[in-house]
Amino acid sequence: MDSTATSSEVIRKSFPWQTFGINWRQKRSRLQLAVGSFIEKYRNQICILDFDEDTGCMTDVVTLEHPYPASKIIWMPDLNEQYEAELIATTGDFLRIWSVAPGKLTQQCVLNNSKSRDLSPPVTSFDWCEANPKYIVASSVDTTCTVWDLEVGVASFEIKYGVNLQLEAHDQEVYDVAFQPGSEKLFASVSGDKSLRLFDRSDLKRSRILYKDPNPLLRCCWNQEGDNNLISVFGMEDQAAKILDLRYTKTPVVVLGGKEGHTKCLNSMAWAPNSACHIITAADDCQALIWDISAETSSVAIEPVLKYSAQSTINQVMWSKVNPEWVAISCANTVEILRV
């Protein structure tokens, strides 16, 4: 690994491969970041980094070999540290669960609901329920969403799992899925059929089409603090994310795209974990923009309040829930941690 570059507001670490999937550890004891490679081969990597806030140093903890690039990485939600087990889930060809131990990452299980043990439609995205970590929902190119039921030992890495439910969620590929914060029953998904849909795990007969867009929808993301009725989406080729209110989803309440907005396609977005008003977006134009949706304006379209320009296309952006001062981005062969 190359050395870590540090400034007062930006800490940068380089890798020998292009970075893609990233996410912060969800335990308060220390800050760690998982970083995945994007190599156009079967063998890829995931690296776990320790982040020292005082020195601004990122230190390698352990690296594992991962089949294909990990499109998404999530640490098991455990901000109250109820579990001794440290787990990470990744998506690529399958949804996989890994245990993290000192100097070692071990695959614990492969969640595959296909009749074939070796073949399965690619998993596009997933979410790990924060309200109840026993549930993971995954989306697939085969139009389905699958909710997995996990039993994780409080003091061990033992995992028992099974399918809680699988449903034909959309008419085309499902690109993203996310549990509503605070709920273990409600989750939303977006698809190539251009729709945003809301599902209730306890009453699947009443799923709702919340919104139809002119373009296939690629990502959805819930407001994390305060107003669980707000959800943001963006579609294929979109340069502006749209924020919808579940109480009135016919048209967006806010569009994140004024004159100072993105000039190329969006790739990622994340709501602030400690503010109901702030959201960050990242795009092919090498910019990460923070928006304040509380700002008074006569127009639905608003301007960003903070801007960061990276050296290359930004693939993903993640806001730390342990310490919201820090945002991580993946771009080119680096990970950059920004103080916001």
Side-chain angles (χ1 to χ4, degrees), residues 5 23 93-94 132 165 170 185 207 227 247 271 277 304 324 340:
N23 217 326
D93 52 349
F94 297 102
N132 189 344
L165 65 90
H170 288 265
K185 295 182 179 180
S207 61
D227 195 342
R247 294 159 294 195
W271 287 88
C277 302
V340 296

Side-chain angles (χ1 to χ4, degrees), residues 303-316:
E303 302 289 350
V305 294
L306 288 175
K307 180 184 298 187
Y308 174 73
S309 296
Q311 298 176 353
S312 184
T313 291
I314 300 175
N315 296 315
Q316 287 192 16

Side-chain angles (χ1 to χ4, degrees), residues 194-223:
K194 307 178 183 180
S195 71
L196 166 69
R197 305 191 185 199
L198 182 69
F199 297 92
D200 186 335
R201 198 171 48 80
S202 63
D203 187 7
L204 296 177
K205 294 180 180 180
R206 298 187 181 183
S207 61
R208 296 167 54 196
I209 298 178
L210 298 176
Y211 174 70
K212 291 283 285 188
D213 196 78
N215 298 320
L217 290 172
L218 298 181
R219 294 289 178 264
C220 61
C221 188
W222 292 95
N223 186 299

Side-chain angles (χ1 to χ4, degrees), residues 7 13 27 47 75 131 150 160 185 197 237 252 292 329:
S7 72
K13 187 173 182 64
K27 290 180 183 283
C47 181
W75 298 69
L150 305 179
K160 297 179 182 179
K185 295 182 179 180
R197 305 191 185 199
E237 307 298 327
D292 181 356
I329 65 173

Side-chain angles (χ1 to χ4, degrees), residues 160-189:
K160 297 179 182 179
Y161 62 92
V163 174
N164 181 269
L165 65 90
Q166 185 176 52
L167 67 152
E168 296 284 341
H170 288 265
D171 300 324
Q172 296 185 32
E173 300 95 331
V174 188
Y175 290 125
D176 201 10
V177 63
F179 279 104
Q180 185 182 51
S183 174
E184 62 181 63
K185 295 182 179 180
L186 298 177
F187 62 90
S189 61

Side-chain angles (χ1 to χ4, degrees), residues 139-151:
S139 57
S140 173
V141 298
D142 68 356
T143 75
T144 67
C145 287
T146 303
V147 178
W148 294 90
D149 191 330
L150 305 179
E151 291 185 21

Side-chain angles (χ1 to χ4, degrees), residues 90-146:
T90 62
T91 45
D93 52 349
F94 297 102
L95 176 60
R96 301 171 187 267
I97 309 292
W98 312 79
S99 62
V100 184
K104 188 178 183 181
L105 275 166
T106 305
Q107 180 174 286
Q108 294 295 320
C109 56
V110 177
L111 306 185
N112 178 15
N113 196 34
S114 172
K115 295 180 180 179
S116 171
R117 298 182 63 181
D118 300 319
L119 297 175
S120 177
V123 181
T124 54
S125 186
F126 74 105
D127 193 28
W128 205 326
C129 182
E130 293 186 16
N132 189 344
K134 71 177 293 185
Y135 297 117
I136 292 181
V137 60
S139 57
S140 173
V141 298
D142 68 356
T143 75
T144 67
C145 287
T146 303

